[in-house]
Amino acid sequence: MENCRNFGGLLACLGLVAILTACGGRSVNETPDAVLKSVLADKFLIGVAVNSSQAAGLDSIGAAVIKKHFNSIVAENCMKSEEIHPEEDRYDFRLSDEFVRFGEENNMFIIGHTLIWHSQLAKWFCIDEKGEKVTPEVLKKRMKEHIYTVVGRYKGRIKGWDVVNEAILEDGSYRKSPLYEILGDELIPLAFQYAHEADPDAELYYNDYGMAHEGKRNAVVALVKKLKEQGLRIDGVGIQGHMGVDHPDYEELEKSIVAFGQTGVKVMITEWDMSVLPTVNSGANVADTVSFNDVLNPYPTELPDSVAVVWNERMGTFFRLFEKHSDIISRVTVWGLSDGDSWRNDWPIKGRKDYPVLFDRNYQPKPFVQQLLKKKNE
Ligand code: GLA
């Protein structure tokens, strides 16, 4: 309760009391021995993406639940290049320093996310002062400096890095991002080379979504083999695991877990969540309020039991898949602590209400999580 020492912390603590009261006096600490990290200790690390208020302890309830249940954390946003390196000659380490301190203080396996990604990329990264694409030489120099500085700052403290994020499309081709257009096939190997040079002991990962697609699966397997043939270090493949109630296909995902494992690297579920909302494309007409509420945002107050049952069963099914492959899966990380924290409420359209992660808006574990916790007590 160290955060009760300041005014912001006091308000947060009063909030905690209010929530506990609303929950009929049950506290998040009710069963101190039944915590996810101990239930899963012989299987894999259990991680969560942490936002800046949690890392700073401003969200003291969230921070307490994270400390209680998780033994690995990843930075939700503060290490993306637009945040940590907003201008070529200016880094901003305030939030990332807090994030790493939070992990160290709580003895967690800390993941850095992410070094090279086409999205949330600092605006200056690929262009010159005239707004034109830089040459390959300039981009290599910038990438090297960026990776050396960020990885170097947390050398020995951040244990694993998502070196490259989302560079391959579902058909297996390389994403034609500005980064790729400038460096082509050199892009990914160079990123891994620089990261390894900056911290030879850090684990290095390739991370992507849509990994159940055959084209992407084959391309990622080929990438891992190619990096290894080139003598580069790659320790793991991250399957993001952003799911819906209709995707991914269970069998196809299992094939990918097995295929990645067969390359000899660790497999990680790195950004697990499961939306209950209808899939929309960015062309959806959100100006039509009636259809928005009825069709695209069907559960604006609470999740009906019938849908919750489907969600919990499906989450449980995938969790058992991860447990089944715990010989190769080294970590399962959830993308966000509570439903209220999740990016899914605002993507791909803003202002919907989703229910995608392990803890509800009152920080209570969902039924399938309660099942996991109960197993330990039986
Ligand atoms: C991708 C990224 C994450 C995050 C999510 C949405 O999966 O890897 O960093 O931005 O999208 O929050």
Side-chain angles (χ1 to χ4, degrees):
M1 284 288 167
E2 74 236 17
N3 294 304
C4 290
R5 287 194 203 123
N6 57 42
F7 185 62
L10 180 62
L11 287 181
C13 293
L14 290 174
L16 174 59
V17 171
I19 283 180
L20 298 182
T21 311
C23 296
R26 276 185 296 122
S27 103
V28 288
N29 290 319
E30 194 176 57
T31 50
D33 51 344
V35 300
L36 285 174
K37 62 187 174 192
S38 49
V39 172
L40 301 170
D42 59 346
K43 300 254 167 50
F44 32 63
L45 292 170
I46 181 81
V48 61
V50 166
N51 64 35
S52 298
S53 349
Q54 290 158 346
L58 297 173
D59 170 8
S60 58
I61 309 171
V65 179
I66 291 169
K67 290 180 203 176
K68 178 180 173 186
H69 284 285
F70 297 91
N71 50 18
S72 175
I73 55 168
V74 61
E76 184 177 9
N77 281 306
C78 69
M79 289 186 160
K80 294 170 178 171
S81 65
E82 69 174 7
E83 301 268 340
I84 205 168
H85 195 176
E87 292 167 51
E88 187 169 7
D89 53 5
R90 184 169 68 85
Y91 287 86
D92 184 347
F93 291 117
R94 283 170 302 177
L95 299 178
S96 52
D97 283 355
E98 251 165 14
F99 161 77
V100 173
R101 197 177 315 125
F102 178 78
E104 284 181 325
E105 281 170 5
N106 296 292
N107 217 7
M108 290 159 163
F109 192 93
I110 307 173
I111 308 295
H113 173 87
T114 172
L115 296 170
I116 295 296
W117 186 31
H118 68 282
S119 181
Q120 294 183 258
L121 177 70
K123 288 201 173 54
W124 59 270
F125 217 100
C126 291
I127 54 173
D128 62 20
E129 59 288 346
K130 291 190 205 119
E132 277 155 28
K133 264 191 222 141
V134 294
T135 62
E137 287 62 42
V138 171
L139 184 55
K140 282 183 201 173
K141 199 165 152 279
R142 288 182 178 182
M143 268 177 53
K144 186 173 181 178
E145 199 268 342
H146 174 76
I147 293 176
Y148 271 40
T149 307
V150 176
V151 175
R153 184 175 184 90
Y154 301 111
K155 188 174 177 192
R157 301 170 69 198
I158 289 197
K159 303 296 181 196
W161 280 98
D162 290 336
V163 178
V164 177
N165 200 30
E166 302 180 354
I168 295 173
L169 299 177
E170 283 163 10
D171 65 5
S173 63
Y174 283 109
R175 179 188 295 280
K176 306 297 176 294
S177 67
L179 295 156
Y180 182 84
E181 281 175 351
I182 299 171
L183 284 179
D185 290 359
E186 277 195 283
L187 174 69
I188 302 178
L190 277 176
F192 277 83
Q193 179 196 321
Y194 297 150
H196 182 55
E197 286 166 1
D199 185 353
D201 293 329
E203 292 192 347
L204 306 181
Y205 317 131
Y206 176 75
N207 192 51
D208 213 329
Y209 67 90
M211 293 288 225
H213 290 269
E214 188 181 1
K216 194 173 280 208
R217 175 193 311 139
N218 295 338
V220 171
V221 166
L223 171 68
V224 173
K225 289 185 177 158
K226 183 176 124 189
L227 293 175
K228 287 188 166 204
E229 275 160 24
Q230 292 180 323
L232 293 165
R233 174 168 184 166
I234 174 162
D235 297 271
V237 168
I239 295 173
Q240 289 185 0
H242 295 297
M243 300 182 176
V245 284
D246 57 355
H247 69 278
D249 180 88
Y250 178 96
E251 271 90 29
E252 294 302 308
L253 187 68
E254 181 166 31
K255 283 186 203 162
S256 297
I257 293 171
V258 171
F260 298 154
Q262 281 170 347
T263 67
V265 295
K266 298 175 187 174
V267 179
M268 289 146 209
I269 309 301
T270 54
E271 303 186 17
W272 195 29
D273 57 21
M274 187 183 290
S275 175
V276 293
L277 299 180
T279 309
V280 277
N281 58 44
S282 42
N285 181 9
V286 293
D288 178 347
T289 318
V290 175
S291 98
F292 176 76
N293 284 334
D294 292 354
V295 182
L296 300 177
N297 190 30
Y299 317 117
T301 48
E302 60 180 356
L303 194 62
D305 287 352
S306 57
V307 184
V309 165
V310 171
W311 184 92
N312 276 283
E313 275 179 14
R314 193 167 152 80
M315 288 293 278
T317 302
F318 278 102
F319 197 79
R320 284 188 292 281
L321 175 67
F322 306 154
E323 289 184 303
K324 175 178 167 192
H325 293 287
S326 60
D327 53 332
I328 47 177
I329 294 183
S330 60
R331 171 170 54 94
V332 174
T333 289
V334 188
W335 203 253
L337 176 65
S338 75
D339 286 341
D341 298 319
S342 171
W343 72 298
R344 291 287 204 150
N345 295 302
D346 288 311
W347 193 90
I349 49 179
K350 274 200 175 293
R352 297 196 293 176
K353 192 161 180 185
D354 209 341
Y355 304 80
V357 290
L358 306 192
F359 291 84
D360 67 20
R361 285 174 169 77
N362 289 327
Y363 300 92
Q364 296 303 308
K366 305 275 181 77
F368 104 90
V369 181
Q370 288 171 19
Q371 288 296 324
L372 282 176
L373 296 172
K374 229 166 78 189
K375 267 202 232 155
K376 178 72 178 178
N377 281 346
E378 279 165 4

